[in-house]
């Protein structure tokens, strides 16, 4: 089989296609022939050699956590899947249910576990999930990280109710899933972007309020205006240091800011006084459990929510896909097809 491989000195130019022996499933394992994988910002950091607090790893990695494939063989004792079933890889292979722990969070695909960027992969049956039949392979590949992150932020951590106000930053994968889920749940949504064209596409998906942050960099004022001065119930904070100050000004008293990403880079030093003053909650958010994934899939099935796939590349052209992500060209998700 062939697989994507990245190693030192890291960078997009180091993405190679390598030949590896065909794997065989052992007891409790499932052999998956991959059909599609989707890109997350984490993958871009990983390929660049920086993930978390330092180098991704000292050895080569097979990237990508989010994939869709078909079961080609099963090992002894497998009960969750049969040959021919379609499945999604789970971001955390060992987080089945309950709150996160260090042990559960050490089972992420891509790193430290070899990822889904390969023609054939063996996974524990516990690290896979069946998916809604009406979705395409490309759409299924978008669910494990971005969709589940948005789902957990909205409904497990913040526990939103119909009529609550949600702020989505930008039009990447997490934010667009957040918009779709919040709209389906009857929430009021406000989305930011530097592109009027992307804002128009967000409006077509149900966004109630649109803010071009290039024209209106102090977008917290727009949030206050849209909520009668009260502020947002939830902000999916994907920007990090570059946007957190505005989020602090936009959140309501007792509101919830879910810290998801750092795509906006560095900003002003964090001032905890604002957080104290409005009793808001600031919570880090890293994907979720298989139990949450399966609950999300039921909601996707019920509301016929179609993940937004904006750009598709052959899996052998991963470098071009990463360049599109780095350039911020996408609306929703970027997918590689096998």
């Amino acid at each position: 089989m062939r697989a994507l491989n990245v190693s030192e000195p890291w960078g997009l130019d180091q993405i190679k296609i390598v030949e590896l022996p065909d794997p065989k499933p052992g007891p409790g394992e499932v052999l998956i022939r991959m059909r599609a994988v989707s890109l997350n910002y984490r993958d871009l950091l990983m390929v660049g050699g920086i993930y978390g607090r330092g180098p991704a790893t000292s050895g080569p990695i097979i990237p990508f956590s989010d994939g869709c494939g078909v079961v080609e063989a099963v090992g002894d004792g497998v009960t969750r899947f049969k040959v021919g079933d379609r499945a999604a890889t789970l971001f955390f292979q060992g987080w089945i249910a309950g709150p996160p722990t260090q042990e559960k969070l050490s089972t992420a695909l891509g790193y430290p576990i070899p990822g889904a960027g390969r023609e054939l992969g063996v996974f524990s049956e516990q690290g896979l999930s069946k998916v809604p039949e009406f979705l395409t392979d490309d759409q299924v590949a978008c669910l494990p990280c971005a969709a589940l992150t948005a789902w957990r932020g909205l409904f497990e951590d913040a526990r939103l109710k119909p009529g609550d106000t949600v702020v989505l930053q930008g039009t990447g994968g997490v934010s667009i899933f957040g918009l779709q889920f919040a709209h389906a749940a009857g929430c009021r949504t406000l989305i930011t972007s530097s592109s009027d064209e992307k804002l128009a596409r967000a409006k077509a998906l149900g966004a109630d309020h649109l803010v071009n942050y290039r024209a209106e960099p102090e977008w917290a004022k727009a949030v206050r205006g849209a909520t009668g001065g009260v502020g947002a119930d939830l902000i999916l904070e994907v920007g990090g240091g570059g946007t957190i100050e505005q989020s602090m000004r936009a959140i309501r008293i007792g509101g919830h800011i879910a810290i998801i990403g750092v795509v906006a880079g560095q900003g002003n030093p964090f001032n905890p006084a604002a957080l104290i003053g409005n009793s808001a909650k600031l919570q880090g958010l890293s994907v979720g459990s298989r139990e949450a994934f399966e609950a999300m899939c039921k909601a996707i099935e019920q509301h016929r929510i179609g993940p937004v796939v904006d750009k598709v590349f052959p899996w052998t052209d991963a470098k071009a896909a990463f360049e599109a992500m780095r350039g911020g060209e996408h609306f929703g998700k970027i997918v590689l097809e096998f």
Side-chain angles (χ1 to χ4, degrees), residues 97-121:
T101 64
Q102 183 172 349
E103 181 181 11
K104 294 172 183 177
L105 298 185
S106 67
T107 62
L109 279 184
Y111 177 74
I113 297 174
R118 42 185 163 159
E119 292 177 317
L120 291 169

Side-chain angles (χ1 to χ4, degrees), residues 4-196:
L4 293 170
N5 189 278
V6 190
S7 60
E8 293 181 304
W10 310 110
L12 299 187
D13 290 335
Q14 299 304 312
I15 301 174
K16 311 293 183 185
I17 297 175
V18 298
E19 296 274 350
L20 297 173
D22 287 358
K24 298 185 184 305
E29 294 180 335
V30 176
L31 177 66
I32 297 288
R33 181 167 292 278
M34 302 307 303
R35 287 184 170 175
V37 295
S38 74
L39 277 66
N40 296 300
Y41 189 69
R42 167 188 186 255
D43 298 308
L44 184 60
L45 295 177
M46 192 177 301
V47 169
I50 299 297
Y51 179 63
R53 298 182 179 178
T57 175
S58 58
I61 61 170
I62 297 175
F64 300 114
S65 57
D66 295 16
C68 173
V70 175
V71 176
E72 194 152 290
V74 298
D76 292 342
V78 169
T79 59
R80 287 173 49 81
F81 297 92
K82 65 181 185 303
V83 172
D85 284 345
R86 192 169 61 146
T89 56
L90 297 174
F91 186 97
F92 290 114
Q93 293 285 284
W95 188 359
I96 307 305
T101 64
Q102 183 172 349
E103 181 181 11
K104 294 172 183 177
L105 298 185
S106 67
T107 62
L109 279 184
Y111 177 74
I113 297 174
R118 42 185 163 159
E119 292 177 317
L120 291 169
V122 166
F123 305 92
S124 166
E125 68 167 331
Q126 304 302 327
L128 301 168
S129 182
K130 294 180 181 177
V131 291
E133 286 298 322
F134 79 96
L135 297 180
T136 67
D137 295 337
D138 289 357
Q139 289 175 322
V140 168
C142 299
L143 300 179
C145 180
L148 184 54
T149 296
W151 175 267
R152 178 183 159 197
L154 269 65
F155 304 117
E156 292 207 338
D157 293 346
R159 299 189 177 277
L160 289 185
K161 308 178 299 299
D164 285 348
T165 298
V166 182
V167 173
L168 299 316
Q169 296 178 349
T171 54
V174 174
S175 294
I176 294 302
F177 273 119
L179 169 60
Q180 291 177 289
F181 291 154
H183 178 68
C187 297
R188 175 168 48 186
T189 54
L190 184 148
I191 192 163
T192 69
S193 175
S194 62
S195 165
D196 288 336

